[in-house]
Amino acid sequence: MITRKSTLICLMTICSLGTIAQPKKAQPSKMDKFVTTLLARMTLDEKIGQLNLPAIGFDVTGPILSQGVEGKIEKGLVGGVFNTFTPNAVRKLQELAVTKTRLKIPLLFGYDVIHGHKTIFPMPIALSATWNLPLIQQTARAAAEEASADGLNWVFSPMVDIARDPRWGRVAEGAGEDTWLGSQIATAMVKGYQGDDLSLNNTVLACVKHFALYGAAEGGRDYNTVDMSERKMMETYLPPYKAAVDAGAGSVMSSFNEINGTPAAASGALLTDLLRKKWGFKGLVATDYTAIVELTKHGIGDVPEAGRQALIAGNDMDMVSEIYINELKKLVQAKKLDVAYIDLACRRVLEAKYKLGLFDDPYRYVNEDRAANEIMNAEKLALSKRAAAESIVLLKNNNVLPLNQQQKIAFIGPLVQDKRNLIGSWSGAGDWTKAISVWAGVNENYPSKKYTYTKGCNLIDDKDLMARLNRNGADLTLDAKSPADMIDEAVSAAKKADIAVVVLGESFMMTGEAASRSDIGLPENQKALLKALKATGKPIVLVLMNGRPLTLQWEDDNLNAIVETWYGGHRAGEAIADVLFGKYNPSGKLTMTFPRNIGQIPIYYSAKNTGRPIDPNEKYTSKYLDVPNTPLYPFGFGLSYAKFEYGAISLSKEVIKATDKLTATVTITNTGKYDGEETAQLYVRDVVGSVTRPVKELKGFKKLFLKAGESKTITFALDVYDLKFYDINMKYTAEPGEFQVFIGTNSRDLQTATFRLL
Ligand code: BGC
């Protein structure tokens, strides 16, 4: 047996997978007794069956469609399924499990409920831009209410992967680049899904994914290799998973990627030593889609070996590969696998079912009345609209917004009347036909005869790309008119108008899984439209729908206003209309840096200073010859129709002891003409450390509403915890010395003060 010296060392090397660690003996709980008794009655086949998680139903995300699932359920070869929902469909499968199998063990029903179940909320990256934790929690709660009314008891969310490369399409599914904010959002989402009591019929098991470091794929290319220092893992990438575990997340999904030479799905160092032993996670681990069979392609061995390593590493459930049901028994018989691993994994599956109350009532989450009342009710749709409005980020405004109904407005663009894209990716149960388009939102709420609509261009013209996206349901078509005719029409509409509002962006299939892009600008045909419109000399408002930071240098240089609306969900069109016409004053702030060009990536605000920080006049400093070091829009950035001015920071003390609390106070004044909401952000820098520290790190924020002309004083409390990091010996500690504290409207425009920790 090889002992694992430490989790960290093991994460950096291939960890040997030796004998099993027995769970610690404590006083058995009711659940322990129940599960132990049940396990004692189970055959090896029945136990292995519990570890099988096939897909059945509406959609799949990988190459293998699970076959003959009903038959396997009847034979006790399935522990849970995913992609099936609606009370009717779930009832049918659950009936098979609890009437046809010997031990009548109910099934888990999972689904990718990522940003709402049937009522679709803005994409996670958009929700994070609200910087409104209670609101984010409410959306997760609403999603859980709907999902659980629709037969589901397990959601594959939240995705808490820190993402600093906007080429990666899955940045749309997460909370952006920041560790501290990402951790807060992870906690809020887990609480929203699981509530205080998992056994209630309106709470569901959350699944934290993708463990771990999936967002750090080299080059932003999905599923790609991750190679990372232990320090960076601990400091930047792992904390949001830990926060979700600490919030009580009932399950974790292991990730597709390798980390420093070991695929995460085969990493005992990750899934057992770190997750369970160090962090104390007691729940269920499932693999990602076909991840076990993919271990063979990673090159760790043949199919049986992949199954053996995945189980021993700590994956309790095998999602879609069906390697567990095909190989584990043979491995046990060949004495290559200790049956105790199967017992332990099975125990965790049964425990999850116990916690959900499924042994009391396997139909607990199947309720037609609840489905009728909960799903897409007025309250949830109103929440969707509110979340969409709060997620919108005003990137530029040259005094052209808000609009008014007296203006002649030319609405132009393939996304003006579009509904298909509004609900974004990962909205499988959402009905896009129920989405409210920008055109409908504007005309229903701000009617006028002075508006015109012209399409202006196709969403994309690139036929190869279209074909690839359409294969997965993008529903893209080419207009019968030629691109030149479409542009001409738009130009003439713009010429007749006072202002053009141009709604452009990415197809929703250009973001999400397997949607990495090497060029993150607007598609070329959309840029051509913008250039032609610019030549009219009319003011132009660009309304964007997309799921990642885009490169928008030309747009920022040439257009009058830019409004980032992401994919806002079912009520996006109304929310966008409210922002455009000033009923809702935009308050969203970016949670990912927007680069000026692709070459700047990776670019994130909490960078290190280097020994030669940029000096434009000095050749030998850290910079590019052809682009500034600064991003186009920094982390935390977002404008308002109001104007917020920050006074100087006043600190309660200039010198603190480790046991002290420090307060930092600023006064913010709304010097503009509109009432508005501001998110004030607090960052900290440890000036000298035993290891180098980032130039700033977010440690707090406050949202506050200020009427025009009003001032408010806000106070942030800081303590030693906010100053801690992994020191030169990887000890999590705060080091004495000088600290800077910054408060301001984004990570760039900040007031500064300093204090000293004794
Ligand atoms: C994705 C997961 C998802 C799973 C099940 C995978 O391809 O990576 O995020 O939960 O499919 O649909």
Side-chain angles (χ1 to χ4, degrees), residues 85-102:
F85 54 91
T86 71
N88 197 21
V90 168
R91 184 181 294 279
K92 276 193 196 144
L93 295 185
Q94 194 67 300
E95 254 167 25
L96 294 179
V98 299
T99 62
K100 304 273 182 185
T101 64
R102 190 177 75 92

Side-chain angles (χ1 to χ4, degrees), residues 34-43 47 102-103 350:
F34 177 88
V35 171
T36 304
T37 309
L38 182 53
L39 267 171
R41 295 174 57 207
M42 293 173 81
T43 63
K47 288 176 190 168
R102 190 177 75 92
L103 292 171
L350 298 176

Side-chain angles (χ1 to χ4, degrees), residues 55 59-62 82-83 111-114 155-157 159 161 170 173 207 209-210 214 222-223 253-256 287-290 294 319-320 426 513:
D59 60 10
V60 289
T61 53
F82 68 106
N83 288 351
Y111 196 56
D112 287 285
V113 174
I114 307 297
V155 296
F156 300 150
S157 175
M159 182 186 110
D161 307 317
R170 302 197 81 168
E173 298 171 50
C207 185
K209 65 190 194 185
H210 305 81
Y214 182 39
D222 210 355
Y223 319 121
M253 187 184 292
S254 54
S255 57
F256 287 129
T287 69
D288 204 341
Y289 203 102
T290 62
E294 289 166 28
M319 187 191 280
V320 181
W426 289 114
E513 188 173 351

Side-chain angles (χ1 to χ4, degrees), residues 588-607:
K589 303 261 190 177
L590 300 178
T591 56
M592 261 189 102
T593 304
F594 274 44
R596 293 176 190 276
N597 67 21
I598 278 281
Q600 285 188 315
I601 297 170
I603 181 166
Y604 48 90
Y605 83 91
S606 62

